[in-house]
Amino acid sequence: MDEAWALIRSAQLLKRNRVAVTSPYYTDARAAAEGRAVAFWQHPGQRSLDTSLSAWATALAHRVDPGSAPWLREHDPFAGLLDGLDDAPLNEAARRFLRERAAQLREEWDYLDWPTPDAVVLGALGMVPCHDDGVHVGILLRRPLQRGHREWDLVAARWRSELLIGPREDHRTYADTYISYEREDRLPDHPYIGAWSGYQTVCDVVVLTAVMDTVRRAHLDTNIRQEAAHRVKCLRGAYPAPWSWGPRMEFTWT
């Protein structure tokens, strides 16, 4: 229920700051069966493949003062990252690798030199999804906003275009649009996120997060189990990048 409330409050925060966002039908979360919370949202329309819209919405969200929403949680990608690993249908070598990888990245993360101050971040694992209902274009939030560093959102918008085989997202248009909407006093000190010294560490954390999302679902069926095992092998260097992540490659924005 707390998560559902945070999601609704996040949409309301963006709307108050004139960031286009799909709005909920109701201003509260409703309890459903088995203790689950449900929020009802207006139909967002079709997802737009125009990456400039995603960059525009992300830049506007980053302008929101995080101090105006003291309820925002701190963005910590390691919180719950390895949940479900012990019960996942992976061999012990794969589980040990993921634990060691997470520990290594945690140490690198703690020493990152963030070039920009705290901001309101979307915390996604890719470009934020923008939808168009024929009248309005807006963000479709899938997780609550958080207080963190905008570099996470910018790295997350780029990694798929670099590391995965499949449909290419127009990242150059995304990057140019984002810079054009940022205020001059808040521009990053690097022209593109890939030039930032901390890019590789954050990218590795984003990728590990995406892999763990699959690992946690590996018990659902044989196909997802095979996906999870294959993606761990990709991380371990069994296949050169860019990677094919299997027959169920996920290129949807999360």
Side-chain angles (χ1 to χ4, degrees):
M1 185 64 77
D2 289 344
E3 190 84 0
W5 271 104
L7 191 61
I8 292 173
R9 294 175 77 182
S10 295
Q12 293 170 338
L13 175 65
L14 292 181
K15 196 167 187 178
R16 285 199 304 273
N17 284 274
R18 300 189 177 184
V19 180
V21 61
T22 297
S23 301
Y25 269 122
Y26 306 109
T27 58
D28 61 350
R30 310 296 175 96
E34 300 178 357
R36 294 181 179 273
V38 176
F40 295 91
W41 299 79
Q42 298 178 17
H43 192 280
Q46 296 295 316
R47 191 186 74 193
S48 173
L49 299 180
D50 183 350
T51 59
S52 66
L53 293 177
S54 178
W56 160 72
T58 301
L60 294 181
H62 289 172
R63 289 187 182 191
V64 177
D65 177 13
S68 66
W71 49 267
L72 289 172
R73 290 180 296 186
E74 291 292 328
H75 177 235
D76 179 7
F78 295 93
L81 177 61
L82 298 182
D83 286 356
L85 179 57
D86 290 339
D87 299 324
L90 298 176
N91 60 44
E92 185 54 40
R95 285 195 287 266
R96 182 170 60 252
F97 166 79
L98 292 172
R99 292 189 193 98
E100 292 174 352
R101 184 66 172 152
Q104 174 194 354
L105 291 175
R106 171 87 254 190
E107 184 174 356
E108 293 178 14
W109 177 275
D110 289 340
Y111 286 95
L112 282 174
D113 182 16
W114 299 99
T116 55
D118 283 358
V120 172
V121 297
L122 301 161
L125 298 180
M127 293 183 187
V128 59
C130 283
H131 289 242
D132 185 352
D133 63 5
V135 179
H136 303 290
V137 175
I139 295 174
L140 179 62
L141 286 179
R142 299 187 184 278
R143 63 189 70 197
L145 299 173
Q146 299 177 67
R147 182 189 185 104
H149 296 280
R150 71 191 66 184
E151 283 74 23
W152 174 275
D153 288 343
L154 300 182
V155 172
R158 175 173 170 160
W159 77 271
R160 291 172 185 264
S161 65
E162 290 189 326
L163 293 179
L164 295 186
I165 295 172
R168 290 283 177 172
E169 295 162 350
D170 186 0
H171 186 266
R172 177 54 63 91
T173 297
Y174 177 96
D176 289 344
T177 303
Y178 181 87
I179 292 293
S180 71
Y181 275 95
E182 271 290 68
R183 297 202 305 254
E184 289 188 6
D185 64 331
R186 299 182 67 175
L187 287 175
D189 58 1
H190 39 271
Y192 295 101
I193 192 62
W196 174 46
S197 61
Y199 169 77
Q200 192 58 57
T201 294
V202 176
C203 182
D204 289 344
V205 178
V206 172
V207 173
L208 181 60
T209 303
V211 171
M212 280 303 306
D213 281 353
T214 306
V215 167
R216 275 189 290 274
R217 295 184 291 111
H219 67 281
L220 296 177
D221 64 48
T222 301
N223 287 336
I224 302 178
R225 178 175 180 172
Q226 291 174 348
E227 270 185 25
H230 176 71
R231 295 179 183 191
V232 173
K233 289 179 181 177
C234 289
L235 287 188
R236 299 183 73 179
Y239 307 96
W243 303 318
S244 170
W245 271 15
R248 289 165 46 90
M249 287 188 297
E250 294 172 359
F251 289 97
T252 56
W253 292 314
T254 54

